[in-house]
PDB file of all heavy atoms in Angstrom:
ATOM      1  N   GLU A   1       0.812  -1.216   0.000  1.00 97.00           N
ATOM      2  CA  GLU A   1       0.000   0.000   0.000  1.00 97.00           C
ATOM      3  C   GLU A   1       0.847   1.269   0.000  1.00 97.00           C
ATOM      4  O   GLU A   1       0.348   2.354  -0.318  1.00 97.00           O
ATOM      5  CB  GLU A   1      -0.924   0.008   1.214  1.00 97.00           C
ATOM      6  CG  GLU A   1      -1.960  -1.097   1.219  1.00 97.00           C
ATOM      7  CD  GLU A   1      -2.811  -1.041   2.461  1.00 97.00           C
ATOM      8  OE1 GLU A   1      -3.552  -0.050   2.624  1.00 97.00           O
ATOM      9  OE2 GLU A   1      -2.730  -1.973   3.272  1.00 97.00           O
ATOM     10  N   ALA A   2       2.106   1.143   0.373  1.00 97.00           N
ATOM     11  CA  ALA A   2       3.018   2.295   0.393  1.00 97.00           C
ATOM     12  C   ALA A   2       4.422   1.778   0.088  1.00 97.00           C
ATOM     13  O   ALA A   2       5.333   1.842   0.908  1.00 97.00           O
ATOM     14  CB  ALA A   2       2.979   3.000   1.749  1.00 97.00           C
ATOM     15  N   ALA A   3       4.566   1.256  -1.121  1.00 97.00           N
ATOM     16  CA  ALA A   3       5.807   0.590  -1.511  1.00 97.00           C
ATOM     17  C   ALA A   3       6.964   1.579  -1.623  1.00 97.00           C
ATOM     18  O   ALA A   3       6.789   2.732  -2.024  1.00 97.00           O
ATOM     19  CB  ALA A   3       5.616  -0.128  -2.839  1.00 97.00           C
ATOM     20  N   ILE A   4       8.154   1.117  -1.267  1.00 98.00           N
ATOM     21  CA  ILE A   4       9.367   1.925  -1.347  1.00 98.00           C
ATOM     22  C   ILE A   4      10.496   1.062  -1.903  1.00 98.00           C
ATOM     23  O   ILE A   4      10.423  -0.164  -1.910  1.00 98.00           O
ATOM     24  CB  ILE A   4       9.785   2.476   0.039  1.00 98.00           C
ATOM     25  CG1 ILE A   4       9.875   1.347   1.076  1.00 98.00           C
ATOM     26  CG2 ILE A   4       8.835   3.568   0.498  1.00 98.00           C
ATOM     27  CD1 ILE A   4      10.361   1.794   2.442  1.00 98.00           C
ATOM     28  N   PHE A   5      11.551   1.728  -2.378  1.00 98.00           N
ATOM     29  CA  PHE A   5      12.751   1.014  -2.800  1.00 98.00           C
ATOM     30  C   PHE A   5      13.960   1.867  -2.471  1.00 98.00           C
ATOM     31  O   PHE A   5      13.852   3.089  -2.286  1.00 98.00           O
ATOM     32  CB  PHE A   5      12.707   0.665  -4.294  1.00 98.00           C
ATOM     33  CG  PHE A   5      12.678   1.863  -5.211  1.00 98.00           C
ATOM     34  CD1 PHE A   5      13.852   2.373  -5.761  1.00 98.00           C
ATOM     35  CD2 PHE A   5      11.473   2.476  -5.544  1.00 98.00           C
ATOM     36  CE1 PHE A   5      13.823   3.472  -6.610  1.00 98.00           C
ATOM     37  CE2 PHE A   5      11.437   3.572  -6.398  1.00 98.00           C
ATOM     38  CZ  PHE A   5      12.615   4.073  -6.931  1.00 98.00           C
ATOM     39  N   ALA A   6      15.113   1.230  -2.364  1.00 98.00           N
ATOM     40  CA  ALA A   6      16.344   1.920  -1.990  1.00 98.00           C
ATOM     41  C   ALA A   6      17.138   2.322  -3.227  1.00 98.00           C
ATOM     42  O   ALA A   6      17.051   1.667  -4.266  1.00 98.00           O
ATOM     43  CB  ALA A   6      17.204   1.020  -1.099  1.00 98.00           C
ATOM     44  N   PRO A   7      17.936   3.388  -3.143  1.00 98.00           N
ATOM     45  CA  PRO A   7      18.808   3.740  -4.255  1.00 98.00           C
ATOM     46  C   PRO A   7      19.831   2.629  -4.505  1.00 98.00           C
ATOM     47  O   PRO A   7      20.332   2.014  -3.556  1.00 98.00           O
ATOM     48  CB  PRO A   7      19.523   5.011  -3.768  1.00 98.00           C
ATOM     49  CG  PRO A   7      18.729   5.504  -2.610  1.00 98.00           C
ATOM     50  CD  PRO A   7      18.083   4.304  -1.995  1.00 98.00           C
ATOM     51  N   ALA A   8      20.117   2.371  -5.755  1.00 98.00           N
ATOM     52  CA  ALA A   8      21.141   1.375  -6.081  1.00 98.00           C
ATOM     53  C   ALA A   8      22.463   1.773  -5.433  1.00 98.00           C
ATOM     54  O   ALA A   8      22.869   2.932  -5.475  1.00 98.00           O
ATOM     55  CB  ALA A   8      21.313   1.293  -7.600  1.00 98.00           C
ATOM     56  N   GLY A   9      23.105   0.815  -4.806  1.00 98.00           N
ATOM     57  CA  GLY A   9      24.403   1.057  -4.192  1.00 98.00           C
ATOM     58  C   GLY A   9      24.363   1.520  -2.756  1.00 98.00           C
ATOM     59  O   GLY A   9      25.421   1.664  -2.127  1.00 98.00           O
ATOM     60  N   LEU A  10      23.173   1.762  -2.203  1.00 98.00           N
ATOM     61  CA  LEU A  10      23.097   2.273  -0.833  1.00 98.00           C
ATOM     62  C   LEU A  10      23.644   1.270   0.174  1.00 98.00           C
ATOM     63  O   LEU A  10      24.426   1.637   1.059  1.00 98.00           O
ATOM     64  CB  LEU A  10      21.661   2.637  -0.479  1.00 98.00           C
ATOM     65  CG  LEU A  10      21.426   3.089   0.970  1.00 98.00           C
ATOM     66  CD1 LEU A  10      22.256   4.313   1.302  1.00 98.00           C
ATOM     67  CD2 LEU A  10      19.940   3.356   1.221  1.00 98.00           C
ATOM     68  N   ALA A  11      23.231   0.012   0.065  1.00 98.00           N
ATOM     69  CA  ALA A  11      23.695  -0.986   1.029  1.00 98.00           C
ATOM     70  C   ALA A  11      25.209  -1.096   0.994  1.00 98.00           C
ATOM     71  O   ALA A  11      25.864  -1.211   2.043  1.00 98.00           O
ATOM     72  CB  ALA A  11      23.058  -2.342   0.727  1.00 98.00           C
ATOM     73  N   GLU A  12      25.794  -1.042  -0.200  1.00 97.00           N
ATOM     74  CA  GLU A  12      27.249  -1.149  -0.329  1.00 97.00           C
ATOM     75  C   GLU A  12      27.951   0.061   0.296  1.00 97.00           C
ATOM     76  O   GLU A  12      28.979  -0.082   0.952  1.00 97.00           O
ATOM     77  CB  GLU A  12      27.634  -1.281  -1.803  1.00 97.00           C
ATOM     78  CG  GLU A  12      27.209  -2.592  -2.445  1.00 97.00           C
ATOM     79  CD  GLU A  12      25.776  -2.581  -2.948  1.00 97.00           C
ATOM     80  OE1 GLU A  12      25.050  -1.582  -2.706  1.00 97.00           O
ATOM     81  OE2 GLU A  12      25.363  -3.575  -3.582  1.00 97.00           O
ATOM     82  N   PHE A  13      27.394   1.248   0.092  1.00 98.00           N
ATOM     83  CA  PHE A  13      28.005   2.446   0.689  1.00 98.00           C
ATOM     84  C   PHE A  13      27.933   2.385   2.207  1.00 98.00           C
ATOM     85  O   PHE A  13      28.915   2.707   2.897  1.00 98.00           O
ATOM     86  CB  PHE A  13      27.316   3.709   0.180  1.00 98.00           C
ATOM     87  CG  PHE A  13      27.899   4.972   0.753  1.00 98.00           C
ATOM     88  CD1 PHE A  13      29.025   5.555   0.190  1.00 98.00           C
ATOM     89  CD2 PHE A  13      27.325   5.579   1.867  1.00 98.00           C
ATOM     90  CE1 PHE A  13      29.581   6.715   0.729  1.00 98.00           C
ATOM     91  CE2 PHE A  13      27.866   6.733   2.414  1.00 98.00           C
ATOM     92  CZ  PHE A  13      28.992   7.307   1.841  1.00 98.00           C
ATOM     93  N   LEU A  14      26.779   2.005   2.740  1.00 98.00           N
ATOM     94  CA  LEU A  14      26.650   1.904   4.190  1.00 98.00           C
ATOM     95  C   LEU A  14      27.615   0.882   4.767  1.00 98.00           C
ATOM     96  O   LEU A  14      28.216   1.102   5.831  1.00 98.00           O
ATOM     97  CB  LEU A  14      25.210   1.537   4.559  1.00 98.00           C
ATOM     98  CG  LEU A  14      24.154   2.619   4.342  1.00 98.00           C
ATOM     99  CD1 LEU A  14      22.759   2.045   4.550  1.00 98.00           C
ATOM    100  CD2 LEU A  14      24.393   3.803   5.271  1.00 98.00           C
ATOM    101  N   ARG A  15      27.782  -0.231   4.056  1.00 97.00           N
ATOM    102  CA  ARG A  15      28.722  -1.249   4.520  1.00 97.00           C
ATOM    103  C   ARG A  15      30.156  -0.712   4.524  1.00 97.00           C
ATOM    104  O   ARG A  15      30.895  -0.878   5.489  1.00 97.00           O
ATOM    105  CB  ARG A  15      28.631  -2.491   3.634  1.00 97.00           C
ATOM    106  CG  ARG A  15      29.459  -3.676   4.143  1.00 97.00           C
ATOM    107  CD  ARG A  15      29.293  -4.884   3.231  1.00 97.00           C
ATOM    108  NE  ARG A  15      27.893  -5.218   3.038  1.00 97.00           N
ATOM    109  CZ  ARG A  15      27.262  -5.144   1.874  1.00 97.00           C
ATOM    110  NH1 ARG A  15      27.915  -4.754   0.781  1.00 97.00           N
ATOM    111  NH2 ARG A  15      25.988  -5.464   1.780  1.00 97.00           N
ATOM    112  N   ALA A  16      30.530  -0.025   3.457  1.00 96.00           N
ATOM    113  CA  ALA A  16      31.875   0.543   3.370  1.00 96.00           C
ATOM    114  C   ALA A  16      32.097   1.603   4.440  1.00 96.00           C
ATOM    115  O   ALA A  16      33.168   1.661   5.056  1.00 96.00           O
ATOM    116  CB  ALA A  16      32.109   1.135   1.979  1.00 96.00           C
ATOM    117  N   ALA A  17      31.078   2.426   4.676  1.00 97.00           N
ATOM    118  CA  ALA A  17      31.203   3.455   5.706  1.00 97.00           C
ATOM    119  C   ALA A  17      31.397   2.829   7.085  1.00 97.00           C
ATOM    120  O   ALA A  17      32.225   3.276   7.883  1.00 97.00           O
ATOM    121  CB  ALA A  17      29.972   4.357   5.693  1.00 97.00           C
ATOM    122  N   GLY A  18      30.634   1.785   7.368  1.00 96.00           N
ATOM    123  CA  GLY A  18      30.778   1.110   8.656  1.00 96.00           C
ATOM    124  C   GLY A  18      32.142   0.481   8.823  1.00 96.00           C
ATOM    125  O   GLY A  18      32.768   0.581   9.896  1.00 96.00           O
ATOM    126  N   GLU A  19      32.634  -0.149   7.768  1.00 95.00           N
ATOM    127  CA  GLU A  19      33.942  -0.787   7.844  1.00 95.00           C
ATOM    128  C   GLU A  19      35.064   0.237   7.986  1.00 95.00           C
ATOM    129  O   GLU A  19      36.135  -0.071   8.525  1.00 95.00           O
ATOM    130  CB  GLU A  19      34.167  -1.651   6.610  1.00 95.00           C
ATOM    131  CG  GLU A  19      33.257  -2.884   6.571  1.00 95.00           C
ATOM    132  CD  GLU A  19      33.359  -3.646   5.271  1.00 95.00           C
ATOM    133  OE1 GLU A  19      34.057  -3.179   4.348  1.00 95.00           O
ATOM    134  OE2 GLU A  19      32.707  -4.712   5.168  1.00 95.00           O
ATOM    135  N   ALA A  20      34.816   1.476   7.528  1.00 95.00           N
ATOM    136  CA  ALA A  20      35.807   2.547   7.648  1.00 95.00           C
ATOM    137  C   ALA A  20      35.700   3.292   8.978  1.00 95.00           C
ATOM    138  O   ALA A  20      36.425   4.252   9.208  1.00 95.00           O
ATOM    139  CB  ALA A  20      35.643   3.524   6.490  1.00 95.00           C
ATOM    140  N   GLY A  21      34.783   2.857   9.841  1.00 94.00           N
ATOM    141  CA  GLY A  21      34.656   3.480  11.155  1.00 94.00           C
ATOM    142  C   GLY A  21      33.775   4.703  11.195  1.00 94.00           C
ATOM    143  O   GLY A  21      33.784   5.450  12.182  1.00 94.00           O
ATOM    144  N   VAL A  22      32.989   4.935  10.143  1.00 96.00           N
ATOM    145  CA  VAL A  22      32.095   6.087  10.103  1.00 96.00           C
ATOM    146  C   VAL A  22      30.823   5.793  10.904  1.00 96.00           C
ATOM    147  O   VAL A  22      30.258   4.702  10.793  1.00 96.00           O
ATOM    148  CB  VAL A  22      31.732   6.438   8.642  1.00 96.00           C
ATOM    149  CG1 VAL A  22      30.700   7.558   8.597  1.00 96.00           C
ATOM    150  CG2 VAL A  22      32.983   6.826   7.861  1.00 96.00           C
ATOM    151  N   LEU A  23      30.391   6.750  11.710  1.00 97.00           N
ATOM    152  CA  LEU A  23      29.135   6.639  12.442  1.00 97.00           C
ATOM    153  C   LEU A  23      27.998   6.901  11.470  1.00 97.00           C
ATOM    154  O   LEU A  23      27.882   7.987  10.901  1.00 97.00           O
ATOM    155  CB  LEU A  23      29.110   7.656  13.585  1.00 97.00           C
ATOM    156  CG  LEU A  23      27.842   7.708  14.457  1.00 97.00           C
ATOM    157  CD1 LEU A  23      27.625   6.391  15.176  1.00 97.00           C
ATOM    158  CD2 LEU A  23      27.936   8.865  15.440  1.00 97.00           C
ATOM    159  N   ARG A  24      27.141   5.914  11.264  1.00 98.00           N
ATOM    160  CA  ARG A  24      26.073   6.001  10.273  1.00 98.00           C
ATOM    161  C   ARG A  24      24.753   6.306  10.977  1.00 98.00           C
ATOM    162  O   ARG A  24      24.290   5.521  11.792  1.00 98.00           O
ATOM    163  CB  ARG A  24      25.981   4.694   9.491  1.00 98.00           C
ATOM    164  CG  ARG A  24      27.300   4.297   8.801  1.00 98.00           C
ATOM    165  CD  ARG A  24      27.330   2.825   8.457  1.00 98.00           C
ATOM    166  NE  ARG A  24      27.208   1.989   9.651  1.00 98.00           N
ATOM    167  CZ  ARG A  24      27.078   0.657   9.627  1.00 98.00           C
ATOM    168  NH1 ARG A  24      27.030   0.025   8.473  1.00 98.00           N
ATOM    169  NH2 ARG A  24      26.983  -0.017  10.758  1.00 98.00           N
ATOM    170  N   ILE A  25      24.161   7.462  10.626  1.00 98.00           N
ATOM    171  CA  ILE A  25      22.973   7.946  11.320  1.00 98.00           C
ATOM    172  C   ILE A  25      21.834   8.138  10.330  1.00 98.00           C
ATOM    173  O   ILE A  25      22.023   8.729   9.262  1.00 98.00           O
ATOM    174  CB  ILE A  25      23.255   9.284  12.030  1.00 98.00           C
ATOM    175  CG1 ILE A  25      24.397   9.123  13.042  1.00 98.00           C
ATOM    176  CG2 ILE A  25      22.002   9.811  12.721  1.00 98.00           C
ATOM    177  CD1 ILE A  25      24.877  10.436  13.634  1.00 98.00           C
TER     178      ILE A  25
END
């Protein structure tokens, strides 16, 4: 009823940011 989708590459960027020690908010 309220479908959404993520930008391509978002999961990969978040993973890379976390592995680099970035605080993800």
Side-chain angles (χ1 to χ4, degrees):
E1 295 179 65
I4 52 177
F5 63 95
L10 176 59
E12 292 84 354
F13 180 84
L14 289 171
R15 187 179 307 115
E19 291 173 355
V22 175
L23 179 62
R24 303 160 300 173
I25 301 171

